[in-house]
């Protein structure tokens, strides 16, 4: 792990009041390390995610393929009509790899990988099509040991994201398609599905899903708040704070942990009229926004790429955590870093670990993912 980790007072996101500590006796068996609380035993469906499932299709392509579809070598775009044929052509013409993708699904998948056992600690809801890509997505979720319950429909095909690789560059083309079609009444409200929501104790939704089904997010967020469970949300992209501000602020009172990066934080501050560009001040002001469940303080966590991650600690306290050092030449692809950080963080949060430990796990997961192409990982983590 990185040296110089802050020796912070241990924080738990809990509604329990701390007992007043008696002066510590200097006996070896009572060191903080040996008296650390063991992790909570996890059961299936403890961590719930809901979002836009995409099947990631990655392939090494040639320049002609990029030119044919008007793609830049290193870019992220939403598919237009002229890109529709791309998804079939890339599969026919090149050797492809498939992965379960989409922001929330990535984080849930990484949380399950960090946890390892038992399988299916993580549940995921989202919408896919009844088609070949949907079947592959189900298979990939199964391989990742995630308990995925997809709403399947025939109006739109399964959402896909083509990663067109040329040398060190990746051109990403996302076609949300079915991911946009999630329906609360057709899926979330069904008795057997809602039971899975009730089983969870931590919930995570990326801000992108605000563009799809605000009513679904609110139903889950209110359930979490009313039952003193943890509801977490990601700002996800600057356009969410800009163009979906009303939806975002409808959900914000239920948010126990808010994630974002420095760019998203800056846009959020501007849109909220915080009148500051200082990331620590933005975090404090976001923490202080109205909150329904008063038993828990809101925690705000903002990543800043290679710079330290900042986290609020209640009141006016903000702490910075250095990220793990990495040689520039070892970085393969930073696209999944944010999703990986959240996945690592959630894997410890669902086990009731201290928040400092959650950040450490987030940094570890992000450090692993940026060394590989796409949001992929080795068979087992090596996190302690």
């Amino acid at each position: 792990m990185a040296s110089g980790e802050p020796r912070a007072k241990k924080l738990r996101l809990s509604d329990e009041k701390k007992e007043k500590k008696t002066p510590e006796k200097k006996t070896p068996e009572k060191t903080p390390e040996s008296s650390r609380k063991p992790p909570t035993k996890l059961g299936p469906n403890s961590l719930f995610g809901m979002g836009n499932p995409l099947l990631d299709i990655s392939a090494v392509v040639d320049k002609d393929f990029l030119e044919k579809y008007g793609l830049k070598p290193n870019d992220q775009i939403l598919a237009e009509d002229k890109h529709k044929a791309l998804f079939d052509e890339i599969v026919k013409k090149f050797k492809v790899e498939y992965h379960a993708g989409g922001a929330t699904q990535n984080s849930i998948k990484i949380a399950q990988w960090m946890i390892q056992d038992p399988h299916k600690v993580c549940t995921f809801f989202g919408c896919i099509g009844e088609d070949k890509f949907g079947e592959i997505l189900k298979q990939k979720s199964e391989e990742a040991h995630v308990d995925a319950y997809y709403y399947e429909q025939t109006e739109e095909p399964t959402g896909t994201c083509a990663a067109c690789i040329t040398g060190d560059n990746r051109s990403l083309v996302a076609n949300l398609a079915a991911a946009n079609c999630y329906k609360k009444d057709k899926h979330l409200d069904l008795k057997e599905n809602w039971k899975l929501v009730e089983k969870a104790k931590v919930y995570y939704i990326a801000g992108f899903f605000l563009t799809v089904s605000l009513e679904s997010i609110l139903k889950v967020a209110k359930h979490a708040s009313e039952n003193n469970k943890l509801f977490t949300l990601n700002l996800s992209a600057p356009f969410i704070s800009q163009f979906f501000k009303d939806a975002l602020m409808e959900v914000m009172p239920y948010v126990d942990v808010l994630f974002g990066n420095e760019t998203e934080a800056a846009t959020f501050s501007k849109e909220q009229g915080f009148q500051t560009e200082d990331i620590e001040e933005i975090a404090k002001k976001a923490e202080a926004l109205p909150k329904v469940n008063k038993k828990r303080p809101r925690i705000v966590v903002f990543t800043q790429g290679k710079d330290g991650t900042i986290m609020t600690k209640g009141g006016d306290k903000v702490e910075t955590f250095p990220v793990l050092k990495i040689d520039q030449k070892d970085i393969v692809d930073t696209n999944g870093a944010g999703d990986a950080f959240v996945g690592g963080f959630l894997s410890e949060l669902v086990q009731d670990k201290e928040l400092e430990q959650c950040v450490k796990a987030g940094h570890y997961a992000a450090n692993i993912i940026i060394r590989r192409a796409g949001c992929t990982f080795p068979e087992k983590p090596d996190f302690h």
Side-chain angles (χ1 to χ4, degrees):
M1 303 307 298
S3 58
E5 282 283 348
R7 286 193 186 123
K9 182 182 166 192
K10 298 295 180 218
L11 259 180
R12 284 185 197 282
L13 193 49
S14 164
D15 55 325
E16 295 165 20
K17 287 187 178 171
K18 300 263 181 176
E19 291 174 23
K20 287 187 180 172
K21 288 187 180 174
T22 51
E24 272 187 31
K25 290 176 186 171
K26 292 184 179 176
T27 50
E29 56 274 3
K30 279 290 172 191
T31 60
E33 211 51 47
S34 63
S35 62
R36 184 176 279 175
K37 184 182 165 187
T40 302
K41 193 160 169 53
L42 288 172
N45 313 112
S46 297
L47 174 60
F48 175 87
M50 182 166 60
N52 299 335
L54 300 176
L55 179 67
D56 287 345
I57 307 168
S58 61
V60 175
V61 302
D62 50 39
K63 271 189 188 165
D64 293 346
F65 186 78
L66 293 186
E67 281 168 16
K68 179 177 178 180
Y69 290 102
L71 303 174
K72 293 176 191 165
N74 208 16
D75 204 6
Q76 286 177 273
I77 62 164
L78 284 176
E80 297 169 34
D81 283 342
K82 66 179 181 183
H83 301 119
K84 292 288 160 76
L86 177 155
F87 298 93
D88 280 331
E89 188 176 339
I90 198 170
V91 171
K92 286 175 186 158
K93 203 169 174 183
F94 303 100
K95 188 180 177 209
V96 300
E97 279 187 18
Y98 295 111
H99 300 284
T104 303
Q105 191 164 231
N106 278 341
S107 295
I108 291 297
K109 188 174 75 168
I110 283 161
Q112 181 64 57
W113 169 70
M114 288 283 285
I115 290 163
Q116 289 283 308
D117 289 314
H119 292 167
K120 300 195 172 179
V121 166
C122 301
T123 318
F124 179 76
F125 282 10
C127 182
I128 62 173
E130 288 184 17
D131 51 28
K132 178 185 74 175
F133 285 157
E135 288 305 311
I136 296 171
L137 196 46
K138 287 193 273 189
Q139 181 196 328
K140 290 295 164 187
S141 298
E142 191 72 30
E143 286 169 13
H145 307 302
V146 170
D147 206 8
Y149 282 76
Y150 297 116
Y151 167 48
E152 297 178 53
Q153 46 74 62
T154 51
E155 288 163 50
E156 286 282 344
T158 296
T160 43
C161 181
C164 309
I165 303 162
T166 49
D168 292 338
N169 295 313
R170 287 163 62 80
S171 189
L172 303 179
V173 187
N175 179 27
L176 294 179
N180 270 327
C181 302
Y182 189 82
K183 300 279 187 291
K184 172 178 168 285
D185 57 333
K186 300 266 179 72
H187 194 258
L188 187 68
D189 291 345
L190 301 183
K191 207 184 210 172
E192 62 273 26
N193 290 342
W194 186 248
K195 272 185 185 164
L196 291 165
V197 178
E198 290 178 321
K199 274 178 88 173
K201 61 181 195 171
V202 176
Y203 303 84
Y204 173 66
I205 297 175
F208 294 121
F209 202 59
L210 289 162
T211 71
V212 176
S213 183
L214 172 61
E215 56 179 2
S216 295
I217 299 175
L218 284 170
K219 181 171 183 178
V220 171
K222 286 173 182 174
H223 167 78
S225 189
E226 284 159 12
N227 293 278
N228 197 28
K229 297 173 178 183
L230 280 163
F231 181 79
T232 70
L233 185 82
N234 203 319
L235 292 175
S236 291
F239 80 85
I240 298 293
S241 291
Q242 289 170 305
F243 306 117
F244 295 88
K245 191 192 329 190
D246 292 348
L248 177 61
M249 296 320 289
E250 237 185 287
V251 177
M252 195 60 73
Y254 304 100
V255 176
D256 296 302
V257 184
L258 180 68
F259 296 104
N261 65 26
E262 73 276 37
T263 315
E264 293 149 11
T267 307
F268 183 68
S269 174
K270 191 179 171 191
E271 293 298 323
Q272 294 300 315
F274 286 169
Q275 297 183 319
T276 180
E277 289 177 10
D278 181 286
I279 194 156
E280 291 196 7
E281 287 305 311
I282 298 168
K284 286 183 203 172
K285 285 178 183 288
E287 180 197 38
L289 288 168
K291 192 168 186 296
V292 173
N293 182 7
K294 302 282 194 274
K295 294 175 186 171
R296 299 181 181 277
R298 177 179 292 125
I299 301 297
V300 179
V301 186
F302 288 149
T303 56
Q304 304 180 86
K306 66 181 187 322
D307 297 323
T309 296
I310 72 142
M311 180 171 69
T312 60
K313 298 180 72 171
D316 260 0
K317 292 177 186 164
V318 177
E319 184 157 354
T320 304
F321 298 84
V323 301
L324 293 169
K325 289 189 170 66
I326 184 168
D327 197 311
Q328 196 63 32
K329 69 177 179 5
D330 293 331
I331 299 174
V332 175
D333 178 9
T334 58
N335 278 311
D339 296 340
F341 173 84
V342 172
F345 191 103
L346 293 172
S347 72
E348 297 290 290
L349 189 67
V350 77
Q351 296 179 74
D352 298 323
K353 297 285 188 72
E354 289 91 355
L355 288 166
E356 290 86 355
Q357 182 74 355
C358 298
V359 174
K360 261 171 127 169
H363 285 165
Y364 169 81
N367 186 274
I368 293 290
I369 263 66
I370 61 177
R371 296 168 188 270
R372 303 165 69 92
C375 198
T376 61
F377 34 76
E379 191 186 342
K380 290 209 164 127
D382 182 26
F383 176 70
H384 308 289

